[in-house]
Amino acid sequence: MLVMLGMLAVFYGIVIFILYRTQQRTTPSFNEYSVGGRSYGPWYVAMCYVNSWWPGATFIAFFGLAAGSGVFGFYGLAYSILGVAMMYFMATRAWRWGARYNLRSQPDLLGLRFDSRPVKVVASVIGIVSLFPWVVLGMQAFGEIFQYASGGSWSVTACLVIGLAVIVIRQYWTVRMGMRGLIMTDAFQGIVAYVFSAVLCVFLLSGLGGGPISFATLAELPREILQVPGDGGQYGPLYLFSLIFTGVVGSLCWPTSFQRIYTASGVRTVKAATVRTVLISGVFYTLLMLLGIAATSMPEVAAQPQAGWFTIMETYGGTWLLGLGLTIVFAASMGHIDGSVQVCGLQIANDLVDSEKRKLSDAQLTSIAKSSMIVFMALAGVVAYLTFNLDRLQLLAQISYQGIVQLAVPLFLGVFWRGGNRHGALAGMLSGFGVAMVLTIIYPDDIAVLGSITGGIIGLAVNLVVFLVVSAATGTSAEEKARVDAMFEVARNPVRVSDPAPTFVPQPADG
């Protein structure tokens, strides 16, 4: 127990040391606090993106999926790679608009594109509400880590309280430093979580040291391990499509993912970071899933797939390797919670509290963002404690994923198409989010009578139809068309961070 707790303490101490050494001695502006002054290079942006995308649950839930169901676990790789690739194509307009109009969040962009504060507010609320369950699950994962580290000798309550205390202390630095506090540690946390785990998977699968599984094990697996849902069994033919499609669309709708665009120093940096993110994610996740699939041959893993990662570590290398496995999950969980809390605090201050009628100073915005992070984290901690043993919390996580994709219609159409208006964007998001939540509550997994499609996709279809119909019915004025044309014209030319926002002067309509 002391060895494993000691390894976690060393890792935690290094993170705090990095934060202490890199903290700013002067008071940052809100632009520096929220997006790091748009100054970071491709490796920093890539590691920050990877940390915000792969939580500690990847080593528990997704690994358990591969260890319990075989190649089905690879669906996470399919949607993640395709989704990240979309960032490459959105980079030019999203970053140039961000730099020229001083955008700090995803709802900021939607509010600007449709010239509507209600659109901005609704988009921000959807993002914050959807992120909340994942922060709760992340805090509960910390409790599980300390249960393993203590060898089961600590009570569930004690482990959860210790886990909450650890992340609360860590969040002091996120609250104090904002985006800078995330990026400076994401590089270290990412190396431990994803590079170390990839190397560890290769070592375990190589068969060195007489381990229980290897690459050769993959050639001897039974046929059912190589089947995916919809290829027979209880799910219909649209189930796997629904999961991958929702994941691809949703990957850029998460506020944590989109905000990485605004931390980059330029369009080329975003694109270079995208390539690095795909490389890191592809190698790490592929090796993790191969290890999980090979582990289906271990009876103790088959009995408890969700604990498979820890079972393999302990079986193969005893206390020291289990300690390393716990530290890897610890690093991934910490990075994910950091990113979620930071972006929620930013959006509460920037999108919900600040407005044209109640314009706040940089100091006020920073203060509100810090206070919001503390309140958000406290609420998540209380819910994590109260629901630690409730299985239905996973339902909230599924609802959040089906809900977050409803931002896709105004976001993707708004960036790539000059049509649509504020009324369509607002009505589409509200109707799509409502339909998705109701259907996901009634059918938390799939809708069997519709070929196992999920509620989020139906909500997305409703969202799209409402957006187009309402936009066509309400029309767009000549002034609004000119404003949107001016925005797209801005995106055609290079923009420097210091370039001032252009002033739009309405022109009289012809005739």
Side-chain angles (χ1 to χ4, degrees):
M1 182 174 82
L2 290 178
V3 171
M4 291 185 285
L5 290 174
M7 294 174 74
L8 293 176
V10 169
F11 167 80
Y12 192 69
I14 294 174
V15 170
I16 299 300
F17 176 76
I18 293 172
L19 290 168
Y20 180 77
R21 292 288 297 180
T22 58
Q23 66 177 322
Q24 284 182 296
R25 304 300 175 185
T26 57
T27 303
S29 66
F30 190 64
N31 207 43
E32 169 68 29
Y33 187 81
S34 56
V35 294
R38 308 181 202 279
S39 60
Y40 290 96
W43 278 113
Y44 280 110
V45 175
M47 294 305 284
C48 198
Y49 190 100
V50 171
N51 266 248
S52 69
W53 185 249
W54 299 110
T58 306
F59 296 89
I60 301 172
F62 282 87
F63 188 89
L65 197 61
S69 304
V71 295
F72 181 34
F74 272 111
Y75 96 88
L77 179 66
Y79 79 71
S80 298
I81 298 301
L82 290 172
V84 171
M86 279 297 295
M87 188 164 76
Y88 188 94
F89 299 107
M90 293 184 68
T92 301
R93 285 178 184 165
W95 191 91
R96 286 178 178 172
W97 285 345
R100 179 60 66 90
Y101 298 104
N102 196 27
L103 305 180
R104 296 154 172 161
S105 67
Q106 180 194 70
D108 239 359
L109 184 145
L110 288 172
L112 174 73
R113 170 61 181 82
F114 294 102
D115 191 24
S116 169
R117 175 164 170 76
V119 168
K120 178 178 177 179
V121 169
V122 169
S124 187
V125 170
I126 290 176
I128 293 169
V129 170
S130 299
L131 274 175
F132 185 76
W134 292 100
V135 176
V136 172
L137 291 173
M139 289 186 170
Q140 291 179 336
F142 272 97
E144 294 182 6
I145 289 171
F146 282 99
Q147 274 194 304
Y148 279 104
S150 68
S153 61
W154 292 353
S155 69
V156 171
T157 302
C159 291
L160 185 56
V161 170
I162 293 171
L164 291 177
V166 166
I167 196 61
V168 164
I169 294 171
R170 168 63 181 86
Q171 291 304 312
Y172 165 79
W173 296 96
T174 302
V175 172
R176 181 188 176 100
M177 298 172 64
M179 178 55 73
R180 183 180 177 84
L182 289 182
I183 290 184
M184 300 313 295
T185 54
D186 275 346
F188 172 67
Q189 291 170 174
I191 289 172
V192 173
Y194 313 109
V195 177
F196 280 20
S197 63
V199 173
L200 187 56
C201 288
V202 171
F203 175 77
L204 294 172
L205 287 169
S206 68
L208 296 174
I213 53 178
S214 68
F215 280 115
T217 308
L218 297 171
E220 302 170 353
L221 296 174
R223 180 182 176 84
E224 56 267 24
I225 297 299
L226 307 178
Q227 292 179 318
V228 295
D231 189 15
Q234 62 172 320
Y235 292 109
L238 296 179
Y239 186 66
L240 189 59
F241 161 78
S242 298
L243 293 181
I244 294 177
F245 182 78
T246 305
V248 170
V249 173
S251 61
L252 262 186
C253 293
W254 288 108
T256 46
S257 301
F258 195 87
Q259 199 195 12
R260 303 301 173 262
I261 294 176
Y262 293 150
T263 63
S265 59
V267 173
R268 294 183 66 179
T269 299
V270 178
K271 293 184 175 181
T274 302
V275 174
R276 287 162 171 77
T277 301
V278 170
L279 177 65
I280 296 169
S281 298
V283 172
F284 149 72
Y285 193 80
T286 298
L287 290 169
L288 186 69
M289 290 301 102
L290 288 177
L291 183 68
I293 294 170
T296 57
S297 62
M298 296 174 63
E300 56 271 46
V301 172
Q304 285 188 297
Q306 300 282 339
W309 172 258
F310 304 112
T311 302
I312 293 173
M313 298 302 120
E314 189 170 21
T315 303
Y316 198 106
T319 300
W320 284 95
L321 202 58
L322 178 58
L324 178 58
L326 288 169
T327 305
I328 286 171
V329 180
F330 190 68
S333 298
M334 186 179 291
H336 189 264
I337 292 177
D338 286 346
S340 299
V341 171
Q342 192 273 345
V343 79
C344 286
L346 162 67
Q347 289 196 178
I348 290 171
N350 187 69
D351 306 331
L352 303 185
V353 180
D354 191 37
S355 70
E356 290 298 325
K357 295 181 180 177
R358 188 179 53 245
K359 206 64 181 173
L360 302 177
S361 66
D362 270 17
Q364 290 173 315
L365 284 169
T366 304
S367 177
I368 292 172
K370 289 179 177 180
S371 303
S372 302
M373 289 181 204
I374 294 172
V375 173
F376 187 84
M377 198 167 42
L379 286 175
V382 171
V383 175
Y385 179 80
L386 295 176
T387 60
F388 189 73
N389 293 316
L390 293 181
D391 296 334
R392 300 296 291 176
L393 191 64
Q394 182 59 32
L395 174 61
L396 292 179
Q398 291 179 16
I399 292 174
S400 73
Y401 217 96
Q402 305 300 339
I404 195 68
V405 298
Q406 305 310 322
L407 297 179
V409 172
L411 180 62
F412 294 163
L413 292 183
V415 170
F416 294 112
W417 184 46
R418 303 185 188 205
N421 63 27
R422 71 188 70 173
H423 305 296
L426 189 60
M429 282 192 293
L430 291 174
S431 59
F433 189 73
V435 169
M437 283 207 300
V438 170
L439 288 178
T440 306
I441 291 172
I442 299 173
Y443 306 101
D445 196 2
D446 66 316
I447 304 175
V449 295
L450 297 178
S452 289
I453 201 169
T454 57
I457 291 185
I458 295 179
L460 196 60
V462 171
N463 186 342
L464 177 61
V465 170
V466 170
F467 176 86
L468 295 175
V469 170
V470 172
S471 294
T474 54
T476 304
S477 66
E479 180 181 343
E480 175 64 8
K481 287 181 180 176
R483 190 189 68 83
V484 173
D485 287 343
M487 278 189 67
F488 276 73
E489 190 63 30
V490 165
R492 294 182 61 182
N493 302 303
V495 176
R496 295 190 302 272
V497 173
S498 58
D499 284 348
T503 301
F504 171 67
V505 179
Q507 301 295 319
D510 294 338

